[in-house]
Amino acid sequence: MPDQLEHLPRLTHLLPCREAQIKTLLLLLGEPEHYSYPSIFIYGHRASGKSHVTLTLLKELKMPHVVVNCVECVSLGLLFEHVLLSLFGSSHTSLPRGPSLSDFVRLYRQLCSEDPAKQTRYIVLDHAELLRDMSANLLPGFLRLQELVEDNVTVIFLSEIVWDKFRPNTGCFEPLLLHFPDYSKVELQQILAQDSCPSYSPELYSSYISILLGVFYSVCRDLRELRHLAALNFPKFCEPLEKGEAKESDAHKLWRNIEPHLKKAMQTVYLREVSSVQWEEQQQKEEKEVGELRGLSAYTHVELPYYSKFLLIAAYLASYNPARTDRRFFLKNHGRIKKTNFLKKHEKTSNHLLGPKPFPLDRLLAIFYSVVDSRVAPTASIFSQISSLVTLQLLTQVGHDDQLDSPKYKCAVSLGFVRAIASDDLHQHALRWTADHRTLHLRHHPVGSHPTSCCLWVRCGPRAAVWEPVCVQRRGIPRQPPALDQPQLCVDCAPAWHWLR
Amino acid sequence: QFYLSHKCVHCSSASGHFVFFIIYATRSLIIQIHQFILQEDLNKKMLDGLLEFVKKSAASFWCRDDDWMSRMRASEIPTAALVLGVNMPDHTITFESMTELLHDSLTPFVASVQAKECTGNRSYVWPGIKAFFPLPLQCHLCMSVCVCHLQKSPVKSPRKRLSSSQSEFLQSPPVVVIFRDLEAFSPQVLQDFILVCSQYVHQLPLVFIFGIATSPSTIQRMLPHSVSSLLCIELFQSLSCTQHLATIIDKLFLTSKFHFKFSAKVLQVLVGIFLYHDFSVCNFIKGLQLSLLEHFHSQPLSVLCCHKQEALVHAQQLNDRDVERIQQLPSFMRYVEEQVPEEQVQLLTSSEHVKGVCQKLLKSLHKYHKNFYPALRCLHVLTSILPKYPLGKQIRELYVLCLEKKVWETQEYDSAMQLIRMLAKDELVTCLQKCVEILTFCKSKKLKKVGQQLQDITATCEKLDSDRENDSSGKGLQKTDLFHLQKTLLEMKECRRTRRKTPYEILRNAVVDYIDNLVKTHLYPPESQPLYEVWYYSSSGTVRRHLNATPRTSIQTALSHPYCYLQNDSGIISSAAPDICIIYKLHLECGRLINLYDWLEAYATVATAAEGKDPSAIEGGKVDELKHARFIRAVSELEFLGFVKSTKQKTDHVARLTWGGC
């Protein structure tokens, strides 16, 4: 079919290294006035030229088309409006609020009858994978839009995901699939070498690109990213030329100059540890000052209030220790535990491999009280600190039922982070500000697997010097009606006090 | 505000002192102004940097098309990452002032977005941004519409406001989007938003500002590489909050200009809340204002807590009741006891005499504070470089120590002085220079004199340098056999023991003596001053109760001691405990699961006994309906308070939600 392919040489010049794909597409699109295949699905990795090829093709052939970026269209209405507006250019599109696909089809047919298609119309949906989340019937509807609106229209889907992940359960019209493979190293070289700097010869730039690819090709094949990196580092490459230390032909010298520099760039700019502006500024500085620039991940230290630290540590312990072991770890006078089967078999795998487990608020507080040295009143600010840790995403709240009575949390920080917090010198100066306490001292220790049952150590006032461990559970102190002259205690402590009276 | 006016009305009507009103008003004003200045100053550096950043990125947007470099580069959205620390209550002020600054000096398009405004669906990023686009017609707002709007809109209003030097930016001002709390945003929303914005980065001069509370690595955690490669992130760090606190204490407490003072305990409570709980400067200032209010409310004599001249006038106008109050002040009573008997009689009988003495004492109080702070600073300069900081690293620790007791009687002070006696010369000299600076700037003549003396010592110290060099070129160890070596070493040891002190050591001892003297004359605790109660607020319990509330304790107290809150003085309320209290006490005896029927029976027994009937009179386990209803109501109240909840394990049981069961 020579008619469609007459544009091929021109297009191949514009879009290098994509000859096969262009040819296929041209053949698929066919004559402008003929009906084309209803839907085409184009997939391939990032920066493999999907949108670029499609758009250039449609533009060069002057076909009526509309490009919709699905990321941008946060609602269906926006999508439909955009399509109708650019295909028919009518301002009186009266889509209802919250339109459905049938509204769109109805309106399309109405507008279409006024202005029937002389050429195939094309709707290009970029980032088509987002269509899956929008509405169940949207994707099947678009796939057979030609049939629905009875017009010469073709929908082209562009996505980074393969078609298998799209196919709905109910089945649908199968589009034509077209794959855009990644560029090979040679192709990348060819494309990148095209945009050479006007002030230097194309050969120099081409050799620079081959050095660049030698370093970066193993980690990055993204054309856009490579182009960006090439531009960033080119001035450094040209530095010896400008200073007159080397000529364009001294390939080896230039290579020696740029290679360590590129390797450093791979660790910093490429990972966006250092922004490109900062990188450029650093290049202009002298060698001596280099090395001061710290990447984003260098700042991992977080300054937290004193109790927040302990809460976070307690949360970590609660998340990674089985509840059964609390008694062993946080109780001085824990009962005898048989060593042989202390840990069950499934518990022997490292908890760090399994990830954090949810724990109830009670358990967090129990561990918190036993970790903190001084007596802490359960003030409102302790509880608000927990919720602010949740906002900071250091803890996460799990489960949605029963948020009021027994919320559950998970620890969201790593061992390294907790270690860093714990090894802070615990604010030597902060420790000086401990409040004096003359009232009763109570410490809570969860006993056994049940987090709500607890054992206490009680010390009455400043007179008694020794902590007397009393395990309520085992001694079985008889039940007595509560005495009225009990000291003022928190809700958590007071019940325990009753037991001892 | 309500609290304030209520208290003011209360105190003015109670004591008839309208003066309070005025003094208090001015006082709180002063605090607010102080605080305002501080805030501005502290954030100024960061904000200036930010402003510069926005300007620069806007400028680079407009000269983008020119050269090969910028054409080649992938276009990134300039992004400022502000690391603000975990003191989230303070962030509001920072962001407000930032928005105002940007709005006034650069661009009318500043949107400040909060995570709670755009949760869930990805379409909800827009409300915050919608706010600053006056788009009446659009029901669906998308970026392309924004672009059209911005390109069309004649930006007149800000141009008028700006000076001519800045107008070069305003072909179209940058669009700044501030994400106040990056951590709280859902990553998906953020990613989508950035992806959309990156499509329009060629048409719109966009700038993002991320407010980060924890650490910048959050960005990498939230955004995948494909998205973060669209941003050009620059980092801005704010001052740490402890530095903030140090500045505030330095400016508000360690100055004789500000007459309202805290006792050691109140200061400890406030600083404790700051360090232990929230790191929030705003809350600290609130605590300060609260205690100010409490002080003026609870202490009628606080009328004397003002500038010297005013205070003297007020002292002259005191009425008899106030004079009586003065006579009852513990510090005044101590003062009276120290006087000779005739004077004592005078002080206890003649109110005119008391007024006169009062004026004298007020003067001396002012003078005491004038000397106290410079002396404190000097001592801190010397002790803050010592190893292990025996007197504290921060000046506030030393301050509290001095407020509590005579600092020179503590063990830490002794060890600090001993350590100072071992200081190397250059360290001592730098410290002394700082001290001299502090002392010469203060107003008191006495301290100036001390400063002069210290300066002399420093000068002689520096002079010693040259003499010492000649001296130190003594004999080194020569190569000898073991025996000789031992002998020489022994000799050297002997020599060291009996060696005379070098001139430097003598000087150093003199310095220590001077400092010791300075401390002993000026740093005695304020309790020793008569009339100190007028200036010092000491009710730490009140402050703690107000600022660090314990809701659980209060509920528990209310349930176990209802009379504590009912305050049944008049005897109108019946003395029987309310139902919910009985229920609460009974539930404490139960385990994790409570059988409702047992509970009901126990309740019925107690309630019957309380009515004065014989509990055994209930026949056949039948509970009368009224009691049944009362029981059910009380249980549901307890459930509402969060003590019990229904459980699916057993239908006729409820589960306890507090600890203590078995």
Side-chain angles (χ1 to χ4, degrees):
Chain A
M1 278 186 266
D3 279 4
Q4 285 92 40
L5 296 182
E6 70 188 67
H7 302 288
L8 190 60
R10 189 160 53 94
L11 288 168
T12 337
H13 180 70
L14 276 175
L15 310 159
C17 312
R18 278 287 171 250
E19 198 173 341
Q21 282 78 23
I22 296 168
K23 203 169 163 185
T24 324
L25 261 180
L26 277 177
L27 288 173
L28 275 177
L29 301 184
E31 293 285 335
E33 53 274 12
H34 292 171
Y35 268 54
S36 176
Y37 199 78
S39 47
I40 303 169
F41 184 85
I42 301 177
Y43 65 102
H45 281 150
R46 249 183 116 218
S48 54
K50 301 181 298 291
S51 341
H52 187 56
V53 167
T54 319
L55 295 188
T56 324
L57 217 68
L58 291 173
K59 253 182 222 160
E60 286 294 319
L61 299 182
K62 301 203 178 62
M63 310 237 191
H65 67 277
V66 50
V67 185
V68 185
N69 190 343
C70 295
V71 182
E72 197 179 315
C73 296
V74 288
S75 67
L76 278 179
L78 218 55
L79 182 83
F80 296 151
E81 205 174 73
H82 191 66
V83 171
L84 292 176
L85 209 68
S86 13
L87 279 186
F88 298 102
S90 59
S91 53
H92 58 270
T93 51
S94 55
L95 276 169
R97 270 185 94 81
S100 66
L101 188 69
S102 62
D103 290 323
F104 171 67
V105 170
R106 183 177 49 80
L107 213 66
Y108 191 101
R109 292 175 84 141
Q110 189 189 326
L111 290 167
C112 180
S113 60
E114 292 163 15
D115 178 20
K118 294 181 196 81
Q119 289 184 328
T120 317
R121 291 177 173 135
Y122 292 96
I123 299 174
V124 183
L125 297 170
D126 206 350
H127 291 106
E129 61 269 14
L130 290 167
L131 289 178
R132 295 178 300 174
D133 312 334
M134 281 176 154
S135 169
N137 64 352
L138 191 64
L139 187 64
F142 267 123
L143 281 169
R144 49 175 68 209
L145 191 69
Q146 197 175 71
E147 213 174 298
L148 289 172
V149 298
E150 293 167 348
D151 185 34
N152 189 1
V153 63
T154 293
V155 184
I156 302 177
F157 299 88
L158 303 178
S159 176
E160 289 172 27
I161 302 177
V162 291
W163 169 247
D164 292 343
K165 305 267 178 190
F166 278 74
R167 199 174 284 130
N169 296 334
T170 48
C172 65
F173 184 83
E174 291 283 316
L176 277 182
L177 304 187
L178 182 58
H179 179 53
F180 275 54
D182 281 348
Y183 291 112
S184 70
K185 194 172 177 181
V186 182
E187 285 170 338
L188 280 175
Q189 160 93 31
Q190 196 189 333
I191 296 167
L192 284 170
Q194 275 196 338
D195 31 42
S196 66
C197 184
S199 43
Y200 295 96
S201 69
E203 289 76 31
L204 178 80
Y205 195 74
S206 171
S207 67
Y208 165 67
I209 290 298
S210 62
I211 294 174
L212 185 90
L213 279 178
V215 176
F216 280 103
Y217 186 69
S218 54
V219 291
C220 171
R221 294 171 192 197
D222 187 334
L223 183 65
R224 265 170 33 204
E225 195 78 342
L226 282 171
R227 183 179 278 162
H228 175 72
L229 286 166
L232 273 186
N233 293 306
F234 192 58
K236 187 80 182 174
F237 181 72
C238 299
E239 209 176 69
L241 297 175
E242 275 170 18
K243 282 183 188 163
E245 288 168 3
K247 280 182 219 146
E248 290 200 8
S249 53
D250 290 348
H252 187 67
K253 199 166 185 183
L254 289 174
W255 178 76
R256 263 212 323 237
N257 174 45
I258 193 70
E259 219 243 347
H261 189 71
L262 287 180
K263 284 206 166 136
K264 204 171 150 203
M266 189 160 73
Q267 285 155 14
T268 54
V269 204
Y270 171 60
L271 296 173
R272 293 303 193 274
E273 287 272 296
V274 171
S275 76
S276 44
V277 173
Q278 282 172 321
W279 179 252
E280 275 175 353
E281 276 169 8
Q282 202 191 6
Q283 283 184 351
Q284 283 152 16
K285 283 182 197 160
E286 288 300 306
E287 284 289 321
K288 296 166 213 161
E289 297 167 53
V290 175
E292 292 160 15
L293 212 52
R294 293 165 73 201
L296 284 183
S297 57
Y299 302 88
T300 45
H301 184 73
V302 178
E303 217 174 320
L304 285 174
Y306 188 76
Y307 287 145
S308 294
K309 278 184 190 177
F310 278 106
L311 278 171
L312 201 58
I313 292 169
Y316 185 81
L317 294 174
S319 234
Y320 285 97
N321 285 341
R324 291 187 326 115
T325 57
D326 284 352
R327 181 178 177 187
R328 186 182 172 86
F329 292 141
F330 303 113
L331 200 58
K332 265 189 194 157
N333 199 9
H334 59 81
R336 258 222 312 245
I337 296 168
K338 278 184 194 164
K339 250 200 178 149
T340 44
N341 53 3
F342 169 59
L343 286 175
K344 284 179 185 155
K345 200 175 182 187
H346 68 270
E347 285 170 356
K348 277 182 185 158
T349 41
S350 169
N351 275 313
H352 291 109
L353 294 177
L354 298 173
K357 295 192 181 55
F359 52 85
L361 178 66
D362 285 349
R363 191 167 161 234
L364 171 71
L365 286 178
I367 296 179
F368 171 69
Y369 287 130
S370 75
V371 170
V372 176
D373 282 335
S374 55
R375 182 186 148 252
V376 193
T379 57
S381 46
I382 294 280
F383 293 100
S384 72
Q385 274 180 62
I386 295 175
S387 55
S388 73
L389 284 176
V390 173
T391 343
L392 295 176
Q393 305 236 296
L394 301 173
L395 295 185
T396 41
Q397 204 160 20
V398 287
H400 292 291
D401 54 331
D402 211 2
Q403 288 297 321
L404 271 180
D405 289 336
S406 51
K408 283 192 170 183
Y409 300 93
K410 245 186 201 180
C411 184
V413 293
S414 63
L415 177 64
F417 188 92
V418 171
R419 246 192 211 143
I421 282 179
S423 66
D424 268 353
D425 61 358
L426 282 182
H427 285 278
Q428 282 299 321
H429 60 281
L431 282 171
R432 296 174 67 93
W433 301 98
T434 45
D436 59 332
H437 19 263
R438 302 238 165 75
T439 47
L440 194 87
H441 288 247
L442 276 172
R443 293 180 71 172
H444 299 261
H445 297 279
V447 176
S449 57
H450 222 291
T452 47
S453 61
C454 90
C455 176
L456 340 146
W457 293 357
V458 178
R459 187 176 74 159
C460 299
R463 279 164 298 161
V466 194
W467 292 79
E468 187 197 354
V470 183
C471 181
V472 180
Q473 225 175 5
R474 255 170 277 132
R475 291 215 180 159
I477 291 169
R479 298 188 176 195
Q480 276 168 8
L484 277 173
D485 58 332
Q486 54 184 314
Q488 292 191 5
L489 295 170
C490 64
V491 169
D492 305 327
C493 301
W497 177 247
H498 282 288
W499 279 113
L500 295 165
R501 308 268 328 187
Chain B
Q1 275 294 317
F2 171 75
Y3 182 73
L4 187 147
S5 55
H6 172 75
K7 284 255 169 167
C8 283
V9 169
H10 182 68
C11 69
S12 55
S13 60
S15 59
H17 275 290
F18 288 98
V19 196
F20 282 135
F21 213 99
I22 302 153
I23 295 178
Y24 173 71
T26 48
R27 188 79 37 190
S28 70
L29 209 67
I30 289 170
I31 287 202
Q32 270 166 5
I33 291 166
H34 264 276
Q35 186 245 348
F36 197 63
I37 293 164
L38 286 173
Q39 274 287 343
E40 294 287 294
D41 273 347
L42 291 170
N43 288 324
K44 201 173 182 324
K45 207 176 152 199
M46 191 184 72
L47 287 182
D48 285 349
L50 193 73
L51 202 66
E52 199 53 46
F53 171 78
V54 176
K55 266 186 201 169
K56 213 171 66 187
S57 40
S60 70
F61 176 80
W62 290 109
C63 58
R64 188 177 268 173
D65 308 328
D66 301 347
D67 57 338
W68 174 84
M69 259 297 283
S70 38
R71 212 172 46 238
M72 279 288 296
R73 264 177 53 182
S75 36
E76 297 167 311
I77 305 170
T79 306
L82 301 186
V83 184
L84 293 167
V86 294
N87 47 337
M88 287 181 290
D90 297 353
H91 291 184
T92 324
I93 294 184
T94 316
F95 280 116
E96 267 165 17
S97 61
M98 185 198 300
T99 316
E100 208 171 294
L101 185 74
L102 288 171
H103 204 275
D104 286 350
S105 58
L106 271 184
T107 163
F109 303 123
V110 184
S112 170
V113 193
Q114 261 175 316
K116 61 184 170 198
E117 293 164 359
C118 29
T119 46
N121 198 324
R122 58 201 180 105
S123 61
Y124 287 111
V125 155
W126 302 105
I129 298 162
K130 251 181 190 167
F132 71 86
F133 291 116
L135 292 175
L137 296 172
Q138 299 296 328
C139 56
H140 306 298
L141 179 72
C142 72
M143 209 62 196
S144 51
V145 180
C146 292
V147 174
C148 292
H149 177 74
L150 285 178
Q151 282 171 348
K152 272 185 244 160
S153 71
V155 195
K156 273 174 191 163
S157 53
R159 201 175 274 169
K160 273 179 201 162
R161 234 183 283 162
L162 290 168
S163 59
S164 56
S165 63
Q166 284 167 320
S167 60
E168 73 219 36
F169 292 115
L170 289 172
Q171 292 124 320
S172 159
V175 176
V176 183
V177 183
I178 303 174
F179 296 87
R180 285 192 180 199
D181 38 359
L182 190 75
E183 281 91 350
F185 275 93
S186 101
Q188 197 53 50
V189 169
L190 205 64
Q191 283 168 27
D192 282 350
F193 184 72
I194 293 171
L195 277 175
V196 172
C197 286
S198 71
Q199 308 262 322
Y200 293 95
V201 76
H202 290 289
Q203 294 143 46
L204 261 190
L206 274 166
V207 179
F208 286 165
I209 296 174
F210 289 162
I212 300 172
T214 48
S215 73
S217 47
T218 325
I219 300 175
Q220 289 169 330
R221 214 178 54 215
M222 290 183 73
L223 305 175
H225 182 248
S226 59
V227 177
S228 69
S229 65
L230 301 172
L231 302 175
C232 177
I233 302 165
E234 208 157 311
L235 207 62
F236 294 88
Q237 286 247 343
S238 75
L239 277 181
S240 84
C241 17
T242 32
Q243 272 169 300
H244 248 90
L245 178 74
T247 329
I248 286 184
I249 289 189
D250 193 55
K251 295 246 166 85
L252 289 185
F253 295 105
L254 305 179
T255 166
S256 51
K257 282 177 202 151
F258 193 71
H259 303 294
F260 171 70
K261 302 280 174 205
F262 284 132
S263 75
K265 270 194 186 159
V266 181
L267 192 60
Q268 271 176 338
V269 168
L270 282 179
V271 174
I273 289 174
F274 180 88
L275 289 177
Y276 282 161
H277 291 292
D278 55 7
F279 274 171
S280 161
V281 177
C282 285
N283 286 354
F284 186 80
I285 297 285
K286 264 180 210 150
L288 180 66
Q289 283 165 335
L290 176 92
S291 33
L292 188 80
L293 202 65
E294 283 287 339
H295 179 60
F296 280 86
H297 171 62
S298 59
Q299 176 63 271
L301 289 172
S302 55
V303 67
L304 299 174
C305 170
C306 51
H307 290 293
K308 198 167 158 186
Q309 301 307 323
E310 282 176 56
L312 293 181
V313 175
H314 287 314
Q316 199 54 54
Q317 292 165 349
L318 290 176
N319 58 20
D320 289 346
R321 233 170 98 196
D322 287 332
V323 170
E324 214 169 282
R325 283 197 186 108
I326 288 182
Q327 283 165 340
Q328 282 162 2
L329 285 180
S331 65
F332 191 79
M333 269 146 77
R334 271 201 298 275
Y335 171 76
V336 171
E337 278 163 25
E338 284 162 15
Q339 306 303 315
V340 286
E342 300 89 64
E343 178 75 11
Q344 278 184 3
V345 174
Q346 277 274 308
L347 280 174
L348 290 177
T349 51
S350 152
S351 72
E352 279 311 307
H353 188 70
V354 170
K355 280 180 195 170
V357 171
C358 178
Q359 282 177 336
K360 199 183 85 193
L361 291 177
L362 279 174
K363 271 184 202 164
S364 82
L365 197 64
H366 276 273
K367 204 168 170 188
Y368 160 78
H369 281 105
K370 229 179 244 175
N371 295 335
F372 186 88
Y373 296 108
L376 184 77
R377 281 172 203 272
C378 279
L379 184 61
H380 178 245
V381 163
L382 279 165
T383 53
S384 60
I385 54 158
L386 299 177
K388 285 189 182 170
Y389 314 107
L391 288 176
K393 195 178 177 184
Q394 307 281 340
I395 194 163
R396 59 167 187 267
E397 296 162 44
L398 183 62
Y399 180 48
V400 168
L401 209 65
C402 293
L403 287 180
E404 266 176 341
K405 51 195 162 196
K406 289 174 183 162
V407 67
W408 59 89
E409 284 172 0
T410 58
Q411 223 171 2
E412 291 90 8
Y413 180 80
D414 287 341
S415 62
M417 282 300 141
Q418 258 168 12
L419 285 171
I420 292 176
R421 272 178 225 273
M422 283 185 272
L423 272 186
K425 204 176 90 184
D426 45 347
E427 278 177 339
L428 189 72
V429 169
T430 42
C431 284
L432 283 180
Q433 276 162 352
K434 276 187 212 160
C435 287
V436 168
E437 216 167 280
I438 293 166
L439 290 177
T440 43
F441 272 107
C442 72
K443 284 174 192 160
S444 146
K445 273 177 200 158
K446 253 192 222 165
L447 288 181
K448 267 189 182 156
K449 211 169 125 198
V450 178
Q452 195 59 46
Q453 283 162 336
L454 281 180
Q455 195 161 23
D456 294 344
I457 292 177
T458 325
T460 30
C461 220
E462 274 163 352
K463 237 184 255 167
L464 280 175
D465 245 356
S466 48
D467 309 342
R468 197 121 179 256
E469 267 167 25
N470 306 335
D471 201 38
S472 62
S473 58
K475 53 219 165 157
L477 284 180
Q478 284 141 13
K479 203 177 177 185
T480 48
D481 55 29
L482 196 64
F483 176 72
H484 277 106
L485 182 71
Q486 236 171 12
K487 211 168 141 191
T488 15
L489 281 175
L490 272 176
E491 268 171 20
M492 279 170 74
K493 204 174 165 190
E494 198 71 14
C495 162
R496 199 174 295 155
R497 199 174 291 157
T498 56
R499 195 183 53 177
R500 271 179 43 230
K501 283 180 178 165
T502 61
Y504 167 64
E505 282 167 335
I506 297 169
L507 265 182
R508 194 167 55 186
N509 284 347
V511 169
V512 173
D513 289 342
Y514 262 113
I515 295 296
D516 196 37
N517 198 23
L518 187 74
V519 169
K520 279 180 184 160
T521 39
H522 298 297
L523 282 188
Y524 37 91
E527 274 94 23
S528 61
Q529 294 290 312
L531 291 188
Y532 85 97
E533 289 95 337
V534 170
W535 282 29
Y536 281 81
Y537 178 68
S538 56
S539 160
S540 62
T542 321
V543 175
R544 186 179 294 153
R545 213 167 44 241
H546 277 111
L547 295 182
N548 207 359
T550 54
R552 286 190 170 206
T553 317
S554 336
I555 292 177
Q556 200 270 332
T557 318
L559 287 174
S560 50
H561 303 286
Y563 308 108
C564 182
Y565 287 97
L566 290 175
Q567 290 176 345
N568 189 14
D569 297 331
S570 49
I572 303 165
I573 307 165
S574 100
S575 61
D579 288 342
I580 188 170
C581 297
I582 299 171
I583 289 279
Y584 169 75
K585 276 172 193 165
L586 288 170
H587 114 285
L588 290 177
E589 293 177 29
C590 300
R592 210 183 69 81
L593 288 175
I594 306 170
N595 187 329
L596 274 174
Y597 188 74
D598 291 352
W599 203 4
L600 170 66
E601 276 194 329
Y603 166 75
T605 317
V606 175
T608 325
E611 281 164 12
K613 291 176 196 156
D614 184 14
S616 59
I618 310 169
E619 77 284 345
K622 272 245 175 179
V623 182
D624 81 73
E625 280 176 7
L626 185 67
K627 285 213 181 67
H628 200 151
R630 276 165 63 187
F631 171 76
I632 287 172
R633 196 180 66 177
V635 170
S636 60
E637 275 171 355
L638 212 57
E639 189 174 351
F640 178 69
L641 287 175
F643 284 90
V644 293
K645 69 165 184 180
S646 57
T647 169
K648 283 171 192 158
Q649 292 172 16
K650 284 180 178 174
T651 42
D652 55 345
H653 283 62
V654 287
R656 265 185 80 168
L657 291 169
T658 47
W659 285 335
C662 55

